[in-house]
Amino acid sequence: MESSQLAPGPLNHVALPSANPEATAKFYCELLGFEQTPRPPFSFRGSWLWRPETKVMLHLIHDADHQPALEEPINTRTHHVAFQTSDFDQCTQRLTAHNVDYVVRVLPDYGYRQLFLRDPDGNVIELGEWPSPEIMLSGSPSE
């Protein structure tokens, strides 16, 4: 019997709007360790970024109408890109040293720390010390 469900594979990339993809690419490369990669000659500006350890690409897509709301508090409950970190304290130190605002939260019942920051275009990024989804979902928070 054939399934009617689609069968997507692993995550390939996340596309983010950018008013200034060149400046935002610099932020991701210098602060978060991404590398700029070749990009097809599209009719619009943008950047493709890669971080080999995550096996995920970020595509920054120029949007002249994009208006970052950087003066507002960081909304931790909006759409965001989340990355696992093995050294939460080093992340907070590095962000503080680069004068990047962030908000720290603790995952209820699990106790894992998360921090949320914004890129220069206002896209929210989460860095968390949680384990892999397989481990997190394998039992109760107390296990």
Side-chain angles (χ1 to χ4, degrees):
M1 182 172 186
E2 188 175 315
S3 172
S4 63
Q5 294 179 337
L6 297 176
L11 180 65
N12 178 270
H13 70 272
V14 175
L16 300 172
S18 178
N20 186 342
E22 297 79 17
T24 301
K26 183 177 178 184
F27 172 88
Y28 280 99
C29 292
E30 291 181 358
L31 189 64
L32 298 174
F34 280 81
E35 302 169 5
Q36 215 147 6
T37 65
R39 177 180 174 268
F42 294 116
S43 62
F44 54 89
R45 292 173 36 219
S47 292
W48 282 10
L49 306 173
W50 168 250
R51 183 160 166 83
E53 298 85 352
T54 65
K55 306 233 183 304
V56 172
M57 287 180 37
L58 295 179
H59 292 183
L60 303 177
I61 299 173
H62 181 247
D63 179 354
D65 296 327
H66 182 68
Q67 298 294 320
L70 299 175
E71 64 284 341
E72 296 177 14
I74 296 172
N75 182 353
T76 63
R77 296 180 355 186
T78 190
H79 60 278
H80 59 273
V81 180
F83 295 99
Q84 183 178 5
T85 181
S86 60
D87 192 341
F88 189 88
D89 295 325
Q90 188 263 349
C91 289
T92 61
Q93 292 167 4
R94 186 159 170 82
L95 293 171
T96 300
H98 284 83
N99 296 314
V100 174
D101 292 333
Y102 61 90
V103 174
V104 174
R105 299 281 189 259
V106 177
L107 195 60
D109 295 336
Y110 290 89
Y112 302 126
R113 296 176 295 172
Q114 314 158 275
L115 68 81
F116 296 83
L117 64 135
R118 284 186 293 230
D119 70 16
D121 282 302
N123 298 302
V124 178
I125 304 161
E126 176 184 352
L127 300 174
E129 65 180 358
W130 11 262
S132 70
E134 294 82 9
I135 292 172
M136 265 185 88
L137 300 175
S138 67
S140 68
S142 60
E143 291 182 337

